[in-house]
């Protein structure tokens, strides 16, 4: 054990910071670990409980290789694979003794985990009916995820302490028709996270910049983005050297020591079924899946023939509704929904214009002119007179309340030409948190709250409000939360920077000095009785049995029980330390 710990400590110290951080991350080491040097790290990583946890992250191929690897066969299959990353084997690929003990124990408890399993047969090509059903599922799922991301873009989805989305937000999405079943939400958000469209940070889900672009992309491109993300985030045991993945029938047996793997494998397959990658009730394979599994880039060309054709025109009707006779192109649907309420989502969708929805569009930056131009281009029937009147009347009323920042005081001013409307705002109980005051000699309301917060509070209370910039011109304020930059998660090297600095500042691993000093420190902390071999001035060596009491100034203090005296020995003269 001692020699293995020293060997592992030396190996860890020789790794670069990036490689060391990857190993720590793979082993699940806490960045706040109390390790002081590489010897602490080695002992922690070789602890039986830690080794057992690491073994659950090895696939069947690595387990078999680790179990059979000996110095004689040079550790074939383990030297450069995941066992090496997890610091379970030495530079020659041979398992450290504590690891070999735990592997032997695991092989005794679960012998089937260390035996190869026959490869499942190659899947047969799916028929046309199954391919059409899969494409329709993918189309429907893309629409559901778009609804979720759009809702998340306006208001981030709250997460519980355990991770799932809160029941309130789950119910909100279900009532809005974004979800057919509430339990779909976590799978859809997982797909979005894999593709970099959304990210879970602290206690909420937010949309990334890539997610915003995805919302406006056509369905085939949406699917390709999701499919690439799905493949990229599959566990290593499912991946092939050609950047593809194993057939789904082989997935359940890949991680035999991980008790949570069967449920995870089932979830991954379920996500694949939702996105049209796998058949729901057979092992048949679609052309687009076969290419993806072989390692080729995701290509929706073969799926496109089965997808519903997207349209770019709607029928505007005199009852203030818009009828889309087919799936509306995502970018057009996104803009139409900013000024109308979608009442139904199917092959033919219905949208309804209301004073509230048109006003919300103006609040988000639309104008009467921009709405007319958009609807004139979108409509197959022109703009009906009732809709034109609704836009005109809403625009006339919009902006009756103006919100701006007073440069002189830094406070927010709420102004209106309608004194009665200002009086209503001043006594509105829903607006009490704003602390609106009528200042003496002024015909406006004043608040210490920031302009944007006052603006959205008035908009939510359905007042016809507009924001003004520093020059007094109307300024568009978008309700959408700022999209999260599409940047990769923090690299392990940054996460473990503090711990790595601490370990590199501890005892050195070269030669005997670092190991000797560490043994002495441990003996002092434990008040242990040790045998210390000291080189005398004449070159001879003498052993002392001491109860270690203190270490400092390059000297070891301890009680010599045989002579019943206190001894102080120079550390530089100590040759070795051992237990009694």
């Amino acid at each position: 054990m001692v020699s293995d710990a020293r060997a592992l400590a030396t190996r860890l110290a020789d790794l670069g910071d990036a490689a060391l951080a990857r190993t720590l991350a793979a082993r699940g080491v806490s960045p706040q670990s109390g390790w002081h040097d590489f010897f602490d790290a080695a002992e922690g990583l070789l602890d039986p409980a830690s080794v057992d946890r690491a073994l659950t992250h090895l696939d069947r191929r690595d387990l078999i290789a680790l179990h059979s690897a000996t110095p004689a066969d040079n550790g074939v299959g383990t030297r450069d694979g995941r066992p090496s990353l997890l610091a379970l084997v030495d530079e020659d690929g041979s398992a450290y003794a504590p690891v070999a003990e735990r592997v032997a124990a695991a092989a005794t408890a679960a012998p089937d985990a260390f035996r190869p399993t026959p490869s499942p047969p190659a899947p047969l090509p799916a028929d046309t009916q199954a391919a059409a059903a899969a494409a329709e599922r993918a189309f429907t799922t893309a629409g559901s995820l778009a609804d979720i991301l759009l809702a998340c873009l306006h208001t981030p989805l709250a997460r519980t302490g355990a991770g799932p989305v809160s029941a309130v937000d789950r119910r909100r999405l279900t009532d809005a028709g974004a979800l057919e079943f509430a339990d779909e939400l976590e799978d859809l958000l997982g797909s979005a996270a894999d593709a970099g469209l959304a990210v879970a940070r602290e206690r909420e889900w937010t949309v990334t910049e890539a997610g915003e672009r995805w919302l406006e992309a056509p369905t085939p491109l949406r699917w390709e983005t999701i499919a690439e993300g799905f493949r990229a985030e599959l566990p290593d045991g499912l991946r092939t050297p050609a950047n593809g993945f194993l057939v789904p029938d082989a997935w359940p047996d890949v991680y035999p020591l991980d008790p949570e793997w069967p449920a995870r494998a089932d979830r991954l397959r379920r996500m694949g079924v939702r996105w049209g990658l796998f058949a729901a009730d057979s092992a048949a394979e679609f052309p687009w899946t076969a290419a993806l599994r072989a390692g080729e880039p995701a290509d929706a060309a073969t799926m496109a023939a089965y997808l519903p054709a997207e349209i770019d025109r709607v029928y505007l009707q005199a009852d203030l509704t818009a009828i889309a006779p087919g799936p509306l192109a995502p970018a057009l649907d996104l803009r139409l929904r900013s000024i109308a309420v979608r009442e139904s989502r199917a092959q033919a969708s219905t949208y309804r214009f209301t004073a509230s929805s048109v006003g919300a569009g103006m609040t988000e930056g639309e104008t009467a002119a921009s709405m007319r131009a958009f609807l004139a281009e979108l409509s197959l029937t022109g703009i009906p007179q009732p809709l034109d009147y609704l836009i005109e009347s809403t625009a006339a009323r919009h902006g009756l309340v103006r919100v701006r920042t007073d440069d002189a005081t830094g406070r927010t001013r709420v102004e209106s030409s309608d004194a009665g409307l200002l009086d209503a705002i001043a006594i509105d109980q829903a607006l009490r948190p704003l602390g609106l005051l009528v200042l003496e000699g002024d015909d406006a309301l004043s608040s210490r709250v920031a302009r944007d917060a006052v603006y959205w509070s008035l908009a939510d209370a359905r007042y016809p409000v507009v924001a003004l910039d520093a020059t007094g011109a109307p300024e568009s304020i978008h309700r959408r939360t700022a999209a999260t930059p599409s940047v990769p998660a923090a690299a392990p090297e940054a996460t473990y920077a503090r711990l790595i600095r601490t370990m590199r500042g501890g005892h050195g691993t070269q030669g005997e000095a670092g190991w000797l000093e560490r043994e002495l420190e441990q003996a002092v902390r434990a008040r242990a009785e040790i045998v210390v071999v000291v080189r005398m001035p004449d070159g001879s060596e003498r052993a002392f049995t001491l109860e270690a009491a203190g270490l400092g100034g390059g000297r070891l203090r301890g009680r010599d029980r045989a002579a019943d005296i206190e001894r102080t020995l120079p550390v530089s003269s100590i040759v070795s330390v051992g237990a009694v």
Side-chain angles (χ1 to χ4, degrees):
M1 173 65 184
V2 171
S3 60
D4 282 327
R6 291 186 63 177
L8 179 55
T10 301
R11 185 181 174 203
L12 294 174
D14 290 341
L15 292 176
D17 287 355
L20 177 58
R22 286 196 296 271
T23 292
L24 297 177
R27 289 294 293 268
V29 175
S30 170
Q32 285 73 45
S33 173
W35 293 343
H36 297 93
D37 52 36
F38 288 106
F39 298 114
D40 284 341
E43 289 189 352
L45 296 180
L46 293 178
D47 179 77
S50 178
V51 173
D52 287 345
R53 287 193 299 270
L55 293 181
T56 65
H57 298 304
L58 295 181
D59 60 41
R60 185 179 297 272
R61 292 170 298 184
D62 284 335
L63 289 173
I64 293 173
L66 191 62
H67 188 226
S68 62
T70 63
D73 64 19
N74 204 28
V76 176
T78 62
R79 187 189 309 110
D80 300 319
R82 191 156 182 83
S84 179
L85 174 65
L86 294 173
L88 299 174
V89 296
D90 59 22
E91 294 180 350
D92 295 328
S94 299
Y96 294 110
V99 175
E101 292 175 3
R102 300 314 303 161
V103 169
T108 301
D112 290 344
F114 295 83
R115 299 190 185 111
T117 57
S119 300
L124 298 175
D127 58 31
T128 302
Q129 184 177 1
E136 184 175 351
R137 281 197 307 274
F139 182 85
T140 303
T141 303
S144 294
L145 180 57
D147 290 343
I148 293 169
L149 294 183
L150 188 58
C152 186
L153 194 58
H154 287 289
T155 305
L157 302 178
R159 302 171 67 216
T160 64
V165 175
S166 67
V168 173
D169 281 342
R170 193 183 298 271
R171 189 180 310 111
R172 173 166 64 92
L173 293 172
T174 303
D175 293 344
L179 298 172
E180 184 176 0
F181 302 104
D183 58 1
E184 296 176 347
L185 181 56
E186 301 303 330
D187 285 353
L188 293 176
L189 287 174
S191 296
D194 290 345
L197 309 180
V199 61
R201 291 186 175 172
E202 297 180 353
R203 298 297 292 273
E204 64 183 23
W205 279 96
T206 57
V207 180
T208 65
E209 293 172 350
E212 278 199 297
R213 294 191 295 271
W214 186 87
L215 284 171
E216 298 184 358
T219 298
L221 183 57
R222 285 179 170 183
W223 179 86
E224 289 175 1
T225 302
I226 292 293
E228 289 282 4
F230 177 83
R231 179 175 62 182
E233 294 302 317
L234 287 175
D236 291 341
L238 304 186
R239 305 293 298 276
T240 63
N243 194 36
F245 54 86
L246 304 176
V247 295
D249 285 348
W251 292 6
D253 295 326
V254 170
Y255 290 95
L257 292 184
D258 187 353
E260 298 177 358
W261 173 246
R264 186 182 177 192
D266 181 67
R267 179 173 183 259
L268 289 172
R269 181 180 174 85
R270 186 173 66 242
M271 291 169 63
V273 170
R274 290 190 192 282
W275 287 102
L277 291 170
F278 311 131
D281 53 2
S282 69
E285 189 170 60
F286 310 114
W288 51 86
T289 306
L292 193 71
R293 187 170 62 83
E296 299 176 13
D299 186 1
T302 51
M303 178 188 282
Y306 300 99
L307 291 173
E310 295 176 347
I311 63 172
D312 58 359
R313 294 290 187 272
V314 300
Y315 294 99
L316 296 181
Q317 304 192 120
D319 62 353
L320 300 180
T321 60
I323 306 297
L328 195 58
L332 299 177
D333 173 75
L334 199 62
R335 186 171 181 188
L336 183 57
R337 288 170 62 183
S338 71
I339 59 176
V341 178
R342 190 181 64 188
E343 292 188 328
S344 66
R345 176 169 69 90
Q347 293 293 337
S349 301
T350 304
Y351 305 81
R352 180 170 296 279
F353 297 93
T354 65
S356 176
S357 68
V358 173
M362 292 181 175
T363 299
E364 290 282 355
E366 292 280 4
T367 64
S370 67
M371 287 186 192
R372 288 194 182 96
F374 169 64
L375 293 175
E377 184 178 355
L378 185 67
S379 176
L380 290 166
T381 55
I383 302 178
Q385 185 177 4
L387 177 56
D388 188 69
Y389 176 76
L390 176 65
I391 294 173
E392 186 65 29
S393 61
T394 304
R397 179 173 169 76
H398 189 74
L400 193 58
V401 178
R402 300 175 298 279
V403 177
R404 66 181 178 87
T405 300
D406 190 333
D407 294 334
T409 63
R411 296 173 65 95
T412 299
R413 288 175 58 86
V414 180
E415 305 168 341
S416 177
S417 58
D418 188 336
L421 190 56
L422 276 183
D423 290 340
I425 292 173
I427 63 174
D428 193 328
Q429 294 299 308
L431 301 177
R432 286 189 62 186
L434 299 180
L436 294 168
L437 301 175
V438 179
L439 300 181
E440 186 176 353
D442 198 350
D443 58 353
L445 300 176
S446 178
S447 172
R448 293 182 180 274
V449 180
R451 184 201 66 168
D452 289 6
V454 173
Y455 174 85
W456 285 116
S457 295
L458 291 169
D460 289 341
R462 301 189 181 280
Y463 289 100
V465 61
V466 66
L468 304 181
D469 61 17
T471 65
E475 180 181 8
S476 296
I477 301 179
H478 295 282
R479 191 178 191 91
R480 293 180 179 180
T481 58
T484 304
S486 302
V487 297
E493 188 173 353
T495 303
Y496 290 97
R498 184 202 62 81
L499 179 58
I500 291 175
R501 285 197 303 270
T502 300
M503 292 192 295
R504 294 206 185 281
H507 299 307
T509 59
Q510 301 299 323
E512 298 291 327
W515 181 253
L516 180 64
E517 188 172 350
R518 171 182 169 76
E519 288 183 303
L520 293 176
E521 285 184 352
Q522 288 187 318
V524 169
R525 282 199 296 266
R527 306 289 293 188
E529 194 170 356
I530 56 176
V531 177
V532 182
V533 178
V534 178
R535 181 175 291 107
M536 307 303 289
D538 60 1
S540 61
E541 295 181 357
R542 182 178 175 186
F544 298 94
T545 301
L546 306 176
E547 180 184 332
L551 184 67
R555 293 179 175 274
L556 170 69
R557 292 185 298 103
R559 185 76 179 177
D560 188 333
R561 290 301 182 87
D564 195 24
I565 59 174
E566 184 87 10
R567 292 190 184 275
T568 302
L569 304 175
V571 174
S572 60
S573 300
I574 297 177
V575 176
S576 65
V577 177
V580 173

